[in-house]
Amino acid sequence: MRFDKYNEFNTKFSFSDIKGIGYEEGVTRRDPSSIIKIEGVYYVWYTRPPSNVPVVGPKAANDSLRAFHWDMASIYYATSKDGYNWKEQGVAVDRGPKGSFDARSVFTPDILVANNKYYLFYQAAGSLKEARWNGGKFDGGDFNKNKIGMSWSDSPTGPWHRWEKPILEVGPEDSWDGEVVHDPTLVVREGKYWLYYKSAGRVPWKPNISDGVFTKEYADMPNAVIGVAIADKPEGPYKKSVYNPVLIGGHECIVWPYRKGVCAFLSEGPEANSIQYAEDGINFYPVKHGLEKPEAGGTYRVGNFVDTDSQPGQGITWGLSHVLGKWNYLRRFDCDLSIQKGDSINREYEKVLEYKMEKD
């Protein structure tokens, strides 16, 4: 067992305000994507509903009042030269046409760079009929059953071309992901595209969440059970892993490539505030506990999604997360989970082991 001094995953998250997409009265910005850098410019995408439209809950919501903070939203984007001063550029992906799977809201995006193209993955809701709540505060509900959509572009600035069919849908009513599919995050490894996503555990004692068939098999799983779906191409089809769910807990889970494997930051459940690691992308185990969480963080992806078979995952050093409140807003977080730091720590640890062997 290593002391923290020799744990390459030991870090502290610090937080700072940003300009341009920080706090703004009457405006909600939340759920930032991974951040990429193209020709010296950083790009981020995020959820933004119309300004000055209050959240009233699903019972009172209509075409001009929001059920949730992420209701009636579009995907906006912003750019920056330094990661602190941002300029909002406008809508990247808007809601779909009336009657479509994404007509009510598109939100919680993530970006993928592949084959000289850009792909935005995001949650989508078709109508208010999908809006459900947990019987408590109205901001604790969600769109059940939702879908994950995708749009692609030849440039990070657009125009974006909407994929007419969902990329991922919920499973059968009694499955672990029978309620929702949330928080798409992409990792490229083994020549394939790994889409990590969150779902909600089955909760048969709260029939107001879903009026379908219930199962006790997944009833003890907290909200935010993480699975993965894998495709040969960015456009899919994405096949859900037979090993799902691969992580228990982790509402708004943050996922990134590291070395040949995958890291995940979990914020809820039995491994709350921990970093998990899986060499194979499936069998995760804890490597660091007790960290302050970036809320719904999106990390700067060094290498812009190069396959980890070609270049080991470089880790993360900063990103953006959101702050909850009447008007959600974005802020920056910094840490040191880079491969360079990890290599340095591991070299020091090897010296310690060599010294102990000499003493023995």
Coordinates of all heavy atoms in Angstrom, one line a residue, residues 10-97:
N10 N -3.0 11.1 -6.4 CA -3.2 12.1 -5.3 C -3.2 13.5 -5.8 O -2.2 13.9 -6.5 CB -2.1 11.9 -4.2 CG -2.4 12.8 -3.0 OD1 -3.5 13.1 -2.7 ND2 -1.3 13.2 -2.4
T11 N -4.2 14.3 -5.6 CA -4.3 15.7 -6.1 C -5.2 16.5 -5.3 O -5.9 15.9 -4.4 CB -4.7 15.7 -7.6 OG1 -4.5 17.0 -8.1 CG2 -6.2 15.3 -7.7
K12 N -5.3 17.8 -5.5 CA -6.3 18.6 -4.9 C -6.9 19.4 -6.0 O -6.3 19.9 -6.9 CB -5.6 19.6 -3.9 CG -5.2 18.9 -2.6 CD -4.7 19.9 -1.6 CE -4.3 19.3 -0.3 NZ -3.8 20.2 0.7
F13 N -8.2 19.6 -5.9 CA -9.0 20.4 -6.9 C -9.1 21.8 -6.3 O -9.6 22.0 -5.2 CB -10.3 19.8 -7.2 CG -10.3 18.5 -8.0 CD1 -10.3 17.3 -7.3 CD2 -10.3 18.6 -9.3 CE1 -10.3 16.1 -8.1 CE2 -10.2 17.4 -10.1 CZ -10.2 16.2 -9.5
S14 N -8.7 22.8 -7.1 CA -8.9 24.2 -6.7 C -9.8 24.8 -7.7 O -9.9 24.4 -8.9 CB -7.6 25.0 -6.7 OG -6.9 24.9 -8.0
F15 N -10.5 25.9 -7.3 CA -11.6 26.4 -8.2 C -11.4 27.9 -8.3 O -11.0 28.6 -7.3 CB -13.0 26.1 -7.5 CG -13.2 24.7 -7.4 CD1 -12.8 24.0 -6.2 CD2 -13.8 23.9 -8.4 CE1 -13.1 22.6 -6.1 CE2 -14.1 22.6 -8.3 CZ -13.7 21.9 -7.1
S16 N -11.7 28.5 -9.5 CA -11.6 29.9 -9.7 C -12.7 30.4 -10.6 O -13.2 29.6 -11.5 CB -10.2 30.2 -10.3 OG -9.9 29.5 -11.4
D17 N -13.0 31.7 -10.5 CA -14.1 32.3 -11.4 C -13.5 32.5 -12.8 O -12.3 32.7 -13.0 CB -14.5 33.6 -10.8 CG -15.3 33.4 -9.5 OD1 -15.9 32.3 -9.3 OD2 -15.3 34.4 -8.7
I18 N -14.4 32.5 -13.7 CA -14.0 32.8 -15.1 C -14.9 33.9 -15.6 O -15.9 34.2 -15.1 CB -14.1 31.5 -16.0 CG1 -15.5 31.0 -15.9 CG2 -13.1 30.5 -15.6 CD1 -15.8 29.8 -16.9
K19 N -14.5 34.5 -16.7 CA -15.2 35.6 -17.3 C -15.9 35.1 -18.6 O -15.4 34.2 -19.3 CB -14.3 36.8 -17.6 CG -13.7 37.4 -16.4 CD -12.8 38.6 -16.8 CE -12.3 39.3 -15.5 NZ -11.4 40.4 -15.8
G20 N -17.0 35.7 -18.9 CA -17.7 35.5 -20.2 C -18.8 34.5 -20.0 O -19.9 34.6 -20.6
I21 N -18.6 33.4 -19.3 CA -19.6 32.3 -19.1 C -19.7 32.0 -17.6 O -20.2 30.9 -17.3 CB -19.3 31.1 -19.9 CG1 -17.9 30.6 -19.7 CG2 -19.5 31.3 -21.4 CD1 -17.6 29.2 -20.5
G22 N -19.3 32.9 -16.8 CA -19.4 32.7 -15.3 C -20.8 33.2 -14.9 O -21.8 33.1 -15.7
Y23 N -20.9 33.6 -13.6 CA -22.3 33.9 -13.1 C -22.8 35.1 -13.8 O -22.2 36.1 -14.1 CB -22.2 34.3 -11.6 CG -23.5 34.6 -11.0 CD1 -24.4 33.6 -10.7 CD2 -23.9 35.9 -10.9 CE1 -25.7 33.9 -10.2 CE2 -25.2 36.2 -10.4 CZ -26.1 35.2 -10.1 OH -27.3 35.5 -9.6
E24 N -24.1 35.0 -14.2 CA -24.9 36.0 -14.9 C -26.3 36.0 -14.5 O -27.0 34.9 -14.7 CB -24.7 35.9 -16.4 CG -25.4 37.1 -17.2 CD -25.1 37.0 -18.6 OE1 -24.3 36.2 -19.1 OE2 -25.8 37.7 -19.4
E25 N -26.8 37.0 -13.8 CA -28.2 37.0 -13.4 C -29.2 36.7 -14.5 O -29.1 37.3 -15.6 CB -28.6 38.4 -12.8 CG -29.9 38.4 -12.1 CD -30.0 37.6 -10.8 OE1 -29.0 37.4 -10.2 OE2 -31.2 37.3 -10.4
G26 N -30.1 35.8 -14.3 CA -31.1 35.4 -15.3 C -30.6 34.4 -16.4 O -31.4 34.0 -17.2
V27 N -29.4 34.0 -16.3 CA -28.8 33.0 -17.3 C -28.4 31.7 -16.6 O -27.7 31.8 -15.6 CB -27.7 33.7 -18.1 CG1 -27.1 32.6 -19.1 CG2 -28.1 34.9 -18.8
T28 N -28.7 30.6 -17.2 CA -28.2 29.3 -16.7 C -27.3 28.8 -17.7 O -27.6 28.7 -18.9 CB -29.4 28.3 -16.5 OG1 -30.1 28.6 -15.3 CG2 -28.9 26.9 -16.4
R29 N -26.1 28.4 -17.3 CA -25.1 27.7 -18.0 C -24.6 26.5 -17.2 O -24.2 26.8 -16.0 CB -23.9 28.6 -18.5 CG -24.3 29.7 -19.3 CD -23.0 30.5 -19.8 NE -23.3 31.7 -20.6 CZ -23.5 32.9 -20.1 NH1 -23.4 33.1 -18.8 NH2 -23.8 33.9 -20.9
R30 N -24.6 25.3 -17.7 CA -24.2 24.2 -16.9 C -23.8 23.0 -17.8 O -23.8 23.1 -19.0 CB -25.4 23.7 -16.1 CG -26.7 23.4 -16.8 CD -27.8 22.9 -16.0 NE -27.6 21.6 -15.5 CZ -27.8 21.1 -14.3 NH1 -28.2 22.0 -13.3 NH2 -27.5 19.9 -13.9
D31 N -23.3 21.9 -17.2 CA -22.9 20.7 -17.8 C -21.9 20.9 -19.0 O -22.2 20.6 -20.1 CB -24.2 20.0 -18.4 CG -25.3 19.9 -17.4 OD1 -25.0 19.3 -16.4 OD2 -26.4 20.2 -17.7
P32 N -20.7 21.5 -18.6 CA -19.7 21.7 -19.7 C -19.2 20.4 -20.3 O -19.1 19.4 -19.6 CB -18.6 22.5 -19.0 CG -18.7 22.1 -17.5 CD -20.2 21.9 -17.3
S33 N -18.9 20.4 -21.5 CA -18.3 19.2 -22.2 C -16.8 19.1 -21.9 O -16.2 20.0 -21.2 CB -18.5 19.4 -23.7 OG -17.6 20.5 -24.2
S34 N -16.2 18.1 -22.4 CA -14.7 18.1 -22.5 C -14.3 19.3 -23.3 O -15.0 19.8 -24.1 CB -14.2 16.8 -23.2 OG -14.6 15.7 -22.5
I35 N -13.1 19.7 -23.0 CA -12.5 20.9 -23.7 C -11.4 20.5 -24.6 O -10.6 19.7 -24.3 CB -11.9 21.9 -22.6 CG1 -13.0 22.3 -21.6 CG2 -11.3 23.1 -23.3 CD1 -12.5 22.9 -20.3
I36 N -11.5 21.1 -25.8 CA -10.5 20.8 -26.8 C -9.8 22.1 -27.2 O -10.3 23.2 -27.0 CB -11.1 20.1 -28.1 CG1 -12.1 21.0 -28.7 CG2 -11.7 18.8 -27.7 CD1 -12.6 20.4 -30.1
K37 N -8.6 21.9 -27.8 CA -7.8 23.0 -28.3 C -7.5 22.9 -29.8 O -6.9 21.9 -30.2 CB -6.5 23.2 -27.5 CG -5.7 24.5 -27.8 CD -4.5 24.5 -26.9 CE -3.8 25.9 -27.0 NZ -2.6 25.9 -26.2
I38 N -8.0 23.8 -30.6 CA -7.8 23.8 -32.0 C -7.1 25.1 -32.5 O -7.7 26.2 -32.3 CB -9.1 23.6 -32.8 CG1 -9.9 22.4 -32.2 CG2 -8.9 23.5 -34.3 CD1 -9.2 21.1 -32.5
E39 N -5.9 25.0 -33.1 CA -5.2 26.1 -33.6 C -5.1 27.2 -32.5 O -5.3 28.4 -32.8 CB -5.8 26.6 -34.8 CG -5.8 25.6 -36.0 CD -6.5 26.2 -37.3 OE1 -7.1 27.2 -37.2 OE2 -6.3 25.5 -38.3
G40 N -4.7 26.8 -31.3 CA -4.5 27.8 -30.2 C -5.7 28.3 -29.5 O -5.6 29.2 -28.6
V41 N -6.9 27.8 -29.8 CA -8.1 28.3 -29.2 C -8.8 27.1 -28.5 O -8.9 26.0 -29.1 CB -9.1 28.8 -30.3 CG1 -10.4 29.3 -29.6 CG2 -8.4 30.0 -31.0
Y42 N -9.2 27.3 -27.2 CA -9.9 26.3 -26.5 C -11.4 26.5 -26.8 O -12.0 27.6 -27.0 CB -9.8 26.6 -25.0 CG -8.4 26.3 -24.5 CD1 -7.6 27.4 -24.1 CD2 -7.8 25.1 -24.4 CE1 -6.3 27.2 -23.6 CE2 -6.5 24.9 -24.0 CZ -5.8 25.9 -23.6 OH -4.5 25.7 -23.1
Y43 N -12.1 25.3 -26.9 CA -13.5 25.2 -27.2 C -14.2 24.4 -26.1 O -13.7 23.4 -25.6 CB -13.8 24.6 -28.5 CG -13.4 25.4 -29.7 CD1 -12.1 25.4 -30.1 CD2 -14.4 26.1 -30.4 CE1 -11.7 26.1 -31.3 CE2 -14.0 26.8 -31.6 CZ -12.7 26.8 -32.0 OH -12.3 27.5 -33.1
V44 N -15.4 24.9 -25.7 CA -16.2 24.2 -24.7 C -17.7 24.3 -25.1 O -18.1 25.4 -25.6 CB -16.0 24.6 -23.3 CG1 -16.6 26.0 -23.0 CG2 -16.7 23.6 -22.3
W45 N -18.5 23.2 -24.9 CA -19.9 23.3 -25.2 C -20.7 23.0 -23.9 O -20.1 22.3 -23.0 CB -20.2 22.2 -26.2 CG -19.7 22.5 -27.6 CD1 -20.4 23.0 -28.7 CD2 -18.4 22.3 -28.1 NE1 -19.6 23.1 -29.7 CE2 -18.3 22.7 -29.4 CE3 -17.2 21.7 -27.5 CZ2 -17.2 22.6 -30.2 CZ3 -16.1 21.7 -28.3 CH2 -16.0 22.1 -29.6
Y46 N -21.9 23.5 -23.8 CA -22.6 23.4 -22.5 C -24.1 23.6 -22.7 O -24.6 24.0 -23.8 CB -22.1 24.5 -21.5 CG -21.9 25.9 -22.1 CD1 -23.0 26.8 -22.0 CD2 -20.7 26.3 -22.7 CE1 -22.8 28.1 -22.5 CE2 -20.6 27.5 -23.3 CZ -21.7 28.4 -23.2 OH -21.5 29.7 -23.7
T47 N -24.8 23.3 -21.7 CA -26.3 23.5 -21.6 C -26.7 24.9 -21.4 O -26.2 25.5 -20.4 CB -26.9 22.6 -20.5 OG1 -26.5 21.2 -20.8 CG2 -28.4 22.7 -20.5
R48 N -27.5 25.5 -22.2 CA -28.1 26.8 -21.9 C -29.5 26.9 -22.3 O -29.8 26.9 -23.5 CB -27.2 27.9 -22.6 CG -27.8 29.3 -22.2 CD -27.1 30.5 -22.7 NE -27.9 31.7 -22.6 CZ -27.5 32.9 -22.8 NH1 -26.3 33.1 -23.2 NH2 -28.3 33.9 -22.7
P49 N -30.5 27.1 -21.4 CA -31.9 27.3 -21.7 C -32.1 28.8 -22.0 O -31.1 29.6 -21.8 CB -32.6 26.9 -20.5 CG -31.6 27.1 -19.4 CD -30.2 26.8 -20.0
P50 N -33.3 29.2 -22.4 CA -33.5 30.6 -22.6 C -33.3 31.5 -21.3 O -33.5 31.0 -20.2 CB -35.0 30.7 -23.0 CG -35.3 29.3 -23.6 CD -34.4 28.4 -22.7
S51 N -32.9 32.7 -21.5 CA -32.7 33.6 -20.3 C -34.0 34.0 -19.6 O -35.0 34.1 -20.3 CB -31.9 34.9 -20.8 OG -30.7 34.5 -21.4
N52 N -33.8 34.2 -18.3 CA -34.9 34.7 -17.5 C -36.2 33.9 -17.6 O -37.3 34.4 -17.5 CB -35.2 36.1 -17.9 CG -34.1 37.1 -17.5 OD1 -33.7 37.1 -16.4 ND2 -33.6 37.8 -18.5
V53 N -36.1 32.5 -17.8 CA -37.2 31.7 -17.8 C -37.1 30.8 -16.5 O -36.2 30.0 -16.4 CB -37.2 30.7 -19.0 CG1 -38.4 29.8 -19.0 CG2 -37.3 31.6 -20.3
P54 N -38.1 31.0 -15.6 CA -38.0 30.3 -14.3 C -38.2 28.8 -14.4 O -38.9 28.3 -15.3 CB -39.1 31.0 -13.5 CG -40.1 31.5 -14.5 CD -39.3 31.9 -15.7
V55 N -37.7 28.1 -13.4 CA -38.0 26.6 -13.2 C -39.2 26.5 -12.3 O -39.2 27.0 -11.2 CB -36.7 25.9 -12.6 CG1 -37.0 24.5 -12.4 CG2 -35.6 26.1 -13.6
V56 N -40.2 25.8 -12.8 CA -41.5 25.7 -12.0 C -41.9 24.3 -11.7 O -42.9 24.0 -11.0 CB -42.6 26.4 -12.8 CG1 -42.3 27.9 -12.9 CG2 -42.8 25.8 -14.1
G57 N -41.1 23.3 -12.2 CA -41.4 21.9 -12.0 C -42.3 21.4 -13.1 O -42.9 22.1 -13.9
P58 N -42.4 20.0 -13.3 CA -43.1 19.4 -14.4 C -44.6 19.7 -14.4 O -45.2 19.7 -15.5 CB -42.7 18.0 -14.4 CG -42.3 17.8 -12.9 CD -41.7 19.0 -12.5
K59 N -45.2 19.8 -13.3 CA -46.6 20.0 -13.3 C -47.0 21.3 -13.8 O -48.1 21.4 -14.5 CB -47.1 19.8 -11.8 CG -47.2 18.4 -11.4 CD -47.9 18.3 -10.0 CE -48.1 16.8 -9.6 NZ -48.8 16.7 -8.3
A60 N -46.3 22.4 -13.5 CA -46.6 23.7 -13.9 C -45.9 24.1 -15.2 O -46.2 25.2 -15.8 CB -46.2 24.7 -12.8
A61 N -45.0 23.3 -15.7 CA -44.2 23.7 -16.9 C -45.1 23.7 -18.2 O -46.1 23.0 -18.2 CB -43.1 22.8 -17.1
N62 N -44.8 24.5 -19.1 CA -45.5 24.6 -20.4 C -44.5 25.0 -21.5 O -43.3 24.8 -21.3 CB -46.7 25.5 -20.3 CG -46.3 26.9 -19.8 OD1 -45.2 27.4 -20.1 ND2 -47.2 27.5 -19.0
D63 N -45.0 25.6 -22.6 CA -44.1 25.9 -23.7 C -43.2 27.2 -23.3 O -42.3 27.5 -24.1 CB -44.9 26.2 -24.9 CG -45.5 24.9 -25.5 OD1 -45.0 23.9 -25.2 OD2 -46.4 25.0 -26.4
S64 N -43.5 27.8 -22.2 CA -42.7 29.0 -21.9 C -42.2 29.0 -20.5 O -41.5 29.9 -20.0 CB -43.5 30.3 -22.1 OG -44.7 30.2 -21.3
L65 N -42.4 27.9 -19.7 CA -41.9 27.7 -18.3 C -41.2 26.4 -18.2 O -41.7 25.4 -18.7 CB -43.0 27.8 -17.3 CG -43.8 29.1 -17.2 CD1 -45.0 29.0 -16.3 CD2 -42.8 30.2 -16.7
R66 N -40.0 26.4 -17.6 CA -39.2 25.2 -17.5 C -39.6 24.2 -16.4 O -39.9 24.7 -15.3 CB -37.7 25.6 -17.4 CG -37.1 26.3 -18.6 CD -35.6 26.5 -18.4 NE -35.3 27.5 -17.4 CZ -34.2 27.6 -16.6 NH1 -33.3 26.6 -16.8 NH2 -34.0 28.5 -15.8
A67 N -39.5 22.9 -16.7 CA -39.7 21.9 -15.7 C -38.5 21.8 -14.8 O -38.6 21.6 -13.6 CB -40.1 20.6 -16.3
F68 N -37.3 21.8 -15.4 CA -36.0 21.6 -14.7 C -35.0 22.7 -15.2 O -35.2 23.4 -16.2 CB -35.5 20.2 -15.0 CG -36.5 19.1 -14.9 CD1 -36.9 18.4 -16.0 CD2 -37.1 18.8 -13.7 CE1 -37.8 17.4 -15.9 CE2 -38.0 17.8 -13.6 CZ -38.4 17.1 -14.7
H69 N -33.9 22.7 -14.6 CA -32.8 23.6 -15.0 C -32.3 23.3 -16.4 O -31.8 24.2 -17.1 CB -31.6 23.6 -14.0 CG -31.9 24.2 -12.7 ND1 -32.0 25.6 -12.5 CD2 -32.1 23.7 -11.5 CE1 -32.2 25.9 -11.3 NE2 -32.3 24.8 -10.6
W70 N -32.5 22.1 -16.8 CA -32.0 21.7 -18.1 C -33.1 21.6 -19.2 O -32.9 21.0 -20.2 CB -31.2 20.4 -18.0 CG -32.0 19.4 -17.2 CD1 -32.8 18.4 -17.6 CD2 -31.9 19.2 -15.7 NE1 -33.3 17.7 -16.5 CE2 -32.8 18.2 -15.4 CE3 -31.2 19.9 -14.7 CZ2 -33.0 17.8 -14.0 CZ3 -31.4 19.5 -13.4 CH2 -32.3 18.5 -13.1
D71 N -34.3 22.1 -18.8 CA -35.4 22.0 -19.7 C -35.3 23.2 -20.8 O -34.8 24.2 -20.5 CB -36.7 22.1 -18.9 CG -37.9 21.9 -19.8 OD1 -37.8 21.3 -20.9 OD2 -39.0 22.3 -19.3
M72 N -35.9 22.9 -21.9 CA -36.0 23.9 -23.0 C -34.6 24.4 -23.4 O -34.4 25.6 -23.9 CB -36.9 25.1 -22.6 CG -38.3 24.7 -22.3 SD -39.3 26.1 -21.6 CE -39.1 27.3 -22.9
A73 N -33.6 23.6 -23.3 CA -32.2 24.0 -23.5 C -31.7 23.8 -24.9 O -32.3 22.9 -25.6 CB -31.3 23.3 -22.5
S74 N -30.7 24.5 -25.3 CA -29.9 24.3 -26.5 C -28.5 24.1 -26.1 O -28.1 24.4 -24.9 CB -30.0 25.5 -27.4 OG -31.4 25.7 -27.8
I75 N -27.6 23.6 -27.0 CA -26.2 23.4 -26.8 C -25.5 24.7 -27.3 O -25.6 25.0 -28.5 CB -25.6 22.2 -27.4 CG1 -26.4 20.9 -27.0 CG2 -24.1 22.1 -27.1 CD1 -26.4 20.6 -25.6
Y76 N -24.9 25.5 -26.4 CA -24.1 26.6 -26.7 C -22.6 26.3 -26.7 O -22.2 25.2 -26.1 CB -24.4 27.8 -25.7 CG -25.6 28.6 -26.1 CD1 -26.9 28.1 -26.1 CD2 -25.5 30.0 -26.4 CE1 -28.0 28.8 -26.3 CE2 -26.6 30.7 -26.6 CZ -27.8 30.2 -26.6 OH -28.9 30.9 -26.9
Y77 N -21.8 27.2 -27.3 CA -20.4 27.0 -27.1 C -19.7 28.3 -26.9 O -20.2 29.4 -27.2 CB -19.8 26.2 -28.3 CG -19.5 27.1 -29.6 CD1 -18.2 27.4 -30.0 CD2 -20.6 27.5 -30.4 CE1 -18.0 28.1 -31.1 CE2 -20.4 28.2 -31.5 CZ -19.1 28.5 -31.9 OH -18.8 29.2 -33.1
A78 N -18.5 28.2 -26.3 CA -17.6 29.4 -26.1 C -16.2 29.1 -26.4 O -15.8 27.9 -26.4 CB -17.8 29.8 -24.6
T79 N -15.4 30.1 -26.6 CA -14.0 30.0 -26.9 C -13.1 30.8 -26.0 O -13.6 31.8 -25.4 CB -13.7 30.4 -28.4 OG1 -14.1 31.7 -28.6 CG2 -14.5 29.5 -29.4
S80 N -11.8 30.4 -25.9 CA -10.9 31.1 -25.0 C -9.5 30.9 -25.5 O -9.2 29.9 -26.1 CB -11.1 30.6 -23.6 OG -10.1 31.2 -22.7
K81 N -8.6 31.9 -25.2 CA -7.2 31.8 -25.5 C -6.4 31.3 -24.3 O -5.3 30.7 -24.5 CB -6.7 33.1 -26.0 CG -7.1 33.6 -27.4 CD -6.5 32.7 -28.5 CE -6.9 33.2 -29.9 NZ -6.3 34.5 -30.2
D82 N -7.0 31.5 -23.1 CA -6.2 31.1 -21.9 C -7.0 30.2 -20.9 O -6.4 29.9 -19.9 CB -5.8 32.4 -21.2 CG -7.0 33.3 -20.8 OD1 -8.2 32.9 -20.9 OD2 -6.7 34.4 -20.3
G83 N -8.2 29.9 -21.2 CA -9.0 29.1 -20.3 C -9.7 29.8 -19.1 O -10.4 29.2 -18.3
Y84 N -9.4 31.1 -19.0 CA -10.0 31.9 -18.0 C -11.0 33.0 -18.6 O -12.1 33.3 -18.0 CB -9.0 32.7 -17.2 CG -8.1 31.8 -16.4 CD1 -6.9 31.3 -16.9 CD2 -8.5 31.4 -15.1 CE1 -6.1 30.4 -16.1 CE2 -7.7 30.6 -14.3 CZ -6.5 30.1 -14.8 OH -5.7 29.3 -14.1
N85 N -10.6 33.6 -19.7 CA -11.5 34.6 -20.3 C -12.1 34.0 -21.5 O -11.5 33.6 -22.5 CB -10.6 35.8 -20.7 CG -10.0 36.5 -19.6 OD1 -10.6 37.2 -18.8 ND2 -8.7 36.2 -19.3
W86 N -13.5 33.8 -21.4 CA -14.2 33.1 -22.5 C -15.2 34.0 -23.2 O -15.6 35.0 -22.6 CB -15.0 32.0 -21.8 CG -14.2 30.9 -21.3 CD1 -13.6 30.8 -20.0 CD2 -13.8 29.7 -21.9 NE1 -12.9 29.7 -19.9 CE2 -13.0 28.9 -21.0 CE3 -14.1 29.1 -23.2 CZ2 -12.5 27.7 -21.3 CZ3 -13.5 27.9 -23.5 CH2 -12.7 27.2 -22.6
K87 N -15.5 33.7 -24.4 CA -16.4 34.5 -25.2 C -17.5 33.5 -25.7 O -17.2 32.5 -26.4 CB -15.8 35.2 -26.4 CG -16.8 36.0 -27.2 CD -16.1 36.7 -28.3 CE -17.1 37.6 -29.1 NZ -16.4 38.3 -30.2
E88 N -18.7 33.7 -25.3 CA -19.8 32.9 -25.8 C -20.1 33.2 -27.2 O -20.3 34.3 -27.6 CB -21.1 33.2 -24.9 CG -22.2 32.2 -25.2 CD -23.3 32.3 -24.2 OE1 -24.1 33.3 -24.2 OE2 -23.4 31.3 -23.3
Q89 N -20.1 32.1 -28.0 CA -20.2 32.3 -29.5 C -21.7 32.0 -30.0 O -22.0 32.3 -31.1 CB -19.3 31.3 -30.2 CG -17.8 31.5 -29.8 CD -17.3 32.8 -30.4 OE1 -17.9 33.5 -31.2 NE2 -16.1 33.2 -29.9
G90 N -22.5 31.5 -29.2 CA -23.9 31.2 -29.6 C -24.3 29.8 -29.6 O -23.6 28.9 -29.1
V91 N -25.4 29.5 -30.3 CA -25.9 28.1 -30.3 C -25.1 27.3 -31.3 O -24.8 27.7 -32.4 CB -27.4 28.1 -30.8 CG1 -27.9 26.7 -31.0 CG2 -28.3 28.9 -29.8
A92 N -24.7 26.1 -30.8 CA -24.1 25.1 -31.7 C -25.2 24.1 -32.2 O -25.3 23.9 -33.4 CB -23.0 24.3 -30.9
V93 N -26.0 23.5 -31.3 CA -27.0 22.6 -31.6 C -28.3 23.0 -31.0 O -28.4 23.2 -29.7 CB -26.7 21.1 -31.2 CG1 -27.8 20.2 -31.5 CG2 -25.4 20.7 -31.9
D94 N -29.4 23.2 -31.7 CA -30.7 23.6 -31.2 C -31.6 22.4 -31.1 O -31.2 21.3 -31.5 CB -31.3 24.6 -32.1 CG -32.1 25.6 -31.3 OD1 -32.5 25.3 -30.2 OD2 -32.4 26.7 -31.9
R95 N -32.7 22.6 -30.5 CA -33.7 21.5 -30.4 C -34.2 21.1 -31.7 O -34.2 21.9 -32.7 CB -34.9 22.0 -29.5 CG -34.5 22.2 -28.0 CD -35.7 22.7 -27.2 NE -35.7 24.2 -27.3 CZ -36.8 24.9 -26.8 NH1 -37.8 24.3 -26.3 NH2 -36.7 26.2 -26.9
G96 N -34.7 19.8 -31.8 CA -35.1 19.3 -33.0 C -36.5 19.7 -33.4 O -37.2 20.4 -32.6
P97 N -37.0 19.3 -34.5 CA -38.4 19.7 -35.0 C -39.5 19.1 -34.1 O -39.3 18.1 -33.4 CB -38.5 19.2 -36.4 CG -37.5 18.1 -36.5 CD -36.4 18.5 -35.5

